[in-house]
Amino acid sequence: MNLLDQLNEVQRGAVSTISGPVMVIAGPGSGKTRVLTYRLAYLLQQGVNPWNILSLTFTNKAAKEMTERISHVIGPNAKKVWSGTFHSIFSRILRIEAEKIGFPKSFSIYDTDDSKSLINEIIKELNLNTKNYNPNTIRTRISSAKSNLITPIMYENDSELIEQDRINNMPYTSSIYKKYMVKCIQAGAMDFDDLLLQMYRLFQENPDNVLDKYRSQFQYLMVDEFQDTNYLQYAIIKKLSLYNNSPRNICIVGDDAQSIYSFRGATISNILDFESDFPDVQVFKLEQNYRSTNHIVQAANDVITFNKNQIKKEIWTEHKEGQKIKLFKTATDVDEGKKIVDYIVELKNRYHIPNKEIAILYRTNAQSRIFEEQLRRLNVPYKVFGGMSFYQRKEIKDLIAYIRLVVNTKDNEAFKRVINFPKRGLGDSTLDKFLQYSNENNCSLWQASGELMLSGRASASIQMFRAQIYEMNLYAQKASAYEAAMNIYKLSGLSAEMKSDITTEGISRLENVMALLDGIKEFTDQDELRDDETADRSLASYLQTIALITDQDQVDANAEFITLMSIHSAKGLEFDAVIVAGLEEKLFPSFMSMNTLEQLDEERRLFYVAITRARKHLILSYATSRYFFGNLRINEPSRFISEIDNTRFEVEQHKKHSFFDADDKSNRPRVTLSKPKEIHIDPKHNFIPSPMTDIIVGKRVLHQKFGYGKVLGIDGSKDMKIATIEFGEIDTPERKIILKYAKLQVLD
């Protein structure tokens, strides 16, 4: 079997060039996995011993799939290749060599919970304030230091790091880090980051008897997804392949345009600077896309050209033009969810696309809530990836449990969930006493907590807890669901607990809780839309509305499902139809990415990844208003939409899209899918805005930009009224305008 005959010209070069450094820039859908597999097979065909090959990947699944593919081509010899993730391969080496750096060969590997528990123990030993020293935050800080090859001694001598800790009210972080490392050594344990750090240390401290041994063994080194490597991983790779008597037969495969994991420590400079580290490198660019239609491929090319630091390439495809890109613009995020799910039904019926070939992608996991609710509305099965279903997340269940207990104090399951969260000194032993009392006296746990006499601190804690629930209950009786929920969130201590965790995971949990509160706000406001003074806006009514939503039994786990996931989780996947939702400024790109050009470039690469997941259908969507931390926020469409050439978009004859209005003063590229009609307003007309109360259904109005129109409908209440107005002389005649911000003159 001639492997090279099954490859295109560039792929053949990447596979057959096995001497010296090689860099393969693999665009999306360009056959990267095929090149990796065939290169390994080609090495074995050329007589290279499998144990002389080291192949590093980022997931066990990728390593397993590659081994299976090579085995199919070459045979059982493929299983003798050292193929696996960085952590699994380095752990394997450390098991052999650990005693040389003071660890037993049978060292333990601490997971995240183990690490947090140890850090918590150290915080208590040092008598530090747990409000300032959050175990999650400290663990992230230590992990970041290790990923950047910063040891405890280097940390405490780094004035910049020490100053950062002082500003964050964590001046003893370096002490915790040092004590943490000592305790790990004492326990004969390494955490996940140590598998890298101690590997580097092993090579650094044993250059002759260990490093040279593995340089001699690994004559050929391959690294997949090189753009995702961090500083420490590349430092180890260079130990094996760059310095002194290294064989230098290294092949890296990656795509700088898909570098999206800086929050995990990935360093895009590794791939951008590879040519300067290996000046004699041979570069192969896989630019032919076998996945997507031409409109999708060219849209991706359009977007990525706006990034400053990149390895230039031009992705192309032999596929047909295909369907043009659809753009959905909606008034609210709820409308966005409805429109997207309605269109999914059209994709299924019109194009016969199965559920498993449709994906909704979003910037943050908190956005899944609306899509889940809308998919349930039409009984469309779905599955949330990159995390559990929105309503099954711990932070969501915690707040809902408090709400349930406030509404019904007899709810024992809610009581058990919140009795000691946030921690208030009422542990398992106290709960066991309440359970025993309630069983013996046939009463609720709430009643037991009021009748059973406790001693000391536990007695004071339970009295305070009961007083808080009672106060929340009194407030809820006179407040809207949203106001009551916010009161519960703050008074329960959940707000302080969540805001104290500033790690990436902690921020994500806070976003999820804010999304839930936004949902309750929408519930309150939607009730008001009924214009019914007797509408029930209570917490009890809200719990009733979400009863079916939280019932997971409605979804058949064995059926085909629509995929819901963050774009970060979607990397490496592909679908016939991809919907990218929430394309608004400050959401995507994220408001946290506005500080530097480098962060904005990464957001753009993330959008590039989202686009290139689609084979045949790509739908982009944004809402002009969205609830954010309980407030209705007016949004501008994402700048990324404007970076795609107009010709890539489908323009509906009856409703053409205009992304940026004529008074947009930004420096972003301007996009208008059709030339707007000239609006004729009598120049002698004296424009005087009318009071908001005068704008009612049926009235003729004048807008200085959109011209003359007629009010078709009004939704909302108070200062959040939204008018639907038909303007006769513009390309998008029907517009939704928030009256609080609009300037309209009533004409009759």
Side-chain angles (χ1 to χ4, degrees), residues 407-436:
V407 170
N408 175 20
T409 57
K410 293 181 179 181
D411 189 331
N412 283 351
E413 292 303 311
F415 182 94
K416 287 192 291 184
R417 187 173 189 92
V418 304
I419 182 62
N420 199 39
F421 186 79
K423 290 184 178 179
R424 49 175 62 89
L426 298 170
D428 292 341
S429 60
T430 303
L431 182 58
D432 289 341
K433 292 176 183 177
F434 290 154
L435 286 167
Q436 182 179 348

Side-chain angles (χ1 to χ4, degrees), residues 319-588:
H319 288 166
K320 295 179 180 179
E321 292 292 312
Q323 296 286 329
K324 287 193 172 185
I325 300 167
K326 278 190 172 289
L327 179 70
F328 290 164
K329 172 184 176 181
T330 59
T332 69
D333 47 354
V334 174
D335 290 340
E336 179 186 43
K338 289 179 180 177
K339 187 159 188 173
I340 285 173
V341 172
D342 287 344
Y343 187 68
I344 284 175
V345 174
E346 182 178 338
L347 284 171
K348 288 157 57 68
N349 293 336
R350 182 177 177 185
Y351 298 104
H352 308 291
I353 301 176
N355 289 333
K356 67 180 181 180
E357 288 295 343
I358 302 173
I360 303 175
L361 307 182
Y362 33 74
R363 179 62 182 83
T364 67
N365 284 320
Q367 291 171 255
S368 74
R369 176 184 62 82
I370 288 173
F371 301 115
E372 290 187 63
E373 292 174 355
Q374 296 303 321
L375 287 165
R376 287 177 180 276
R377 174 176 64 90
L378 297 182
N379 200 28
V380 178
Y382 68 89
K383 186 171 182 179
V384 180
F385 289 85
M388 60 188 74
S389 172
F390 181 86
Y391 291 98
Q392 290 301 307
R393 293 169 179 141
K394 179 185 181 302
E395 60 272 18
I396 301 303
K397 292 173 73 71
D398 288 338
L399 180 51
I400 288 179
Y402 265 105
I403 293 173
R404 284 166 48 189
L405 189 61
V406 168
V407 170
N408 175 20
T409 57
K410 293 181 179 181
D411 189 331
N412 283 351
E413 292 303 311
F415 182 94
K416 287 192 291 184
R417 187 173 189 92
V418 304
I419 182 62
N420 199 39
F421 186 79
K423 290 184 178 179
R424 49 175 62 89
L426 298 170
D428 292 341
S429 60
T430 303
L431 182 58
D432 289 341
K433 292 176 183 177
F434 290 154
L435 286 167
Q436 182 179 348
Y437 186 94
S438 67
N439 289 334
E440 291 174 353
N441 294 276
N442 195 27
C443 64
S444 68
L445 290 173
W446 175 260
Q447 183 178 337
S449 70
E451 295 176 357
L452 183 62
M453 298 300 294
L454 300 176
S455 60
R457 180 182 172 188
S459 177
S461 293
I462 195 63
Q463 288 178 32
M464 181 175 292
F465 171 69
R466 288 175 58 84
Q468 286 177 332
I469 298 297
Y470 183 70
E471 183 179 343
M472 295 173 197
N473 179 274
L474 285 178
Y475 186 85
Q477 291 178 26
K478 59 184 180 181
S480 70
Y482 175 72
E483 291 168 338
M486 282 298 297
N487 177 257
I488 292 169
Y489 174 57
K490 294 174 181 177
L491 198 60
S492 65
L494 287 177
S495 176
E497 177 81 11
M498 303 204 71
K499 289 178 180 177
S500 70
D501 185 356
I502 60 173
T503 64
T504 302
E505 295 85 356
I507 292 171
S508 177
R509 284 191 285 270
L510 179 60
E511 289 175 343
N512 290 337
V513 171
M514 288 301 106
L516 176 69
L517 291 168
D518 287 343
I520 301 175
K521 177 71 169 175
E522 290 166 4
F523 163 81
T524 304
D525 292 341
Q526 285 167 2
D527 269 350
E528 291 177 357
L529 296 184
R530 292 185 297 190
D531 202 22
D532 180 358
E533 291 301 321
T534 64
D536 187 355
R537 306 179 184 92
S538 67
L539 279 179
S541 178
Y542 171 73
L543 288 175
Q544 183 177 343
T545 64
I546 66 168
L548 292 178
I549 294 176
T550 56
D551 184 2
Q552 295 299 301
D553 293 336
Q554 289 190 18
V555 177
D556 181 2
N558 296 317
E560 285 194 337
F561 47 75
I562 305 296
T563 295
L564 276 66
M565 61 171 53
S566 71
I567 302 167
H568 282 101
S569 300
K571 187 165 173 284
L573 303 178
E574 56 187 72
F575 304 87
D576 281 349
V578 169
I579 300 131
V580 187
L583 277 164
E584 299 137 29
E585 288 290 298
K586 298 185 180 180
L587 179 57
F588 194 14

Side-chain angles (χ1 to χ4, degrees), residues 57 85-92 191-193 195-196 233:
T57 64
T85 65
F86 281 87
H87 291 89
S88 65
I89 293 294
F90 294 168
S91 174
R92 183 176 170 184
D191 62 22
F192 290 125
D193 296 306
L195 295 176
L196 304 180
Q233 287 165 327

Side-chain angles (χ1 to χ4, degrees), residues 8 17 66 104 118 202-203 223 298 359 407 439 450 682 739:
N8 66 36
T17 305
M66 193 171 298
L118 179 54
L202 174 68
F203 285 168
V223 186
Q298 295 307 324
V407 170
N439 289 334
D682 185 351
L739 296 183

Side-chain angles (χ1 to χ4, degrees), residues 125-155:
E125 284 183 12
L126 297 176
N127 293 316
L128 300 174
N129 188 332
T130 54
K131 290 184 179 179
N132 293 337
Y133 292 90
N134 182 286
N136 274 321
T137 303
I138 298 296
R139 186 186 68 82
T140 300
R141 193 76 168 152
I142 292 174
S143 175
S144 178
K146 290 179 179 179
S147 296
N148 287 284
L149 252 180
I150 300 172
T151 65
I153 294 175
M154 294 167 66
Y155 193 108

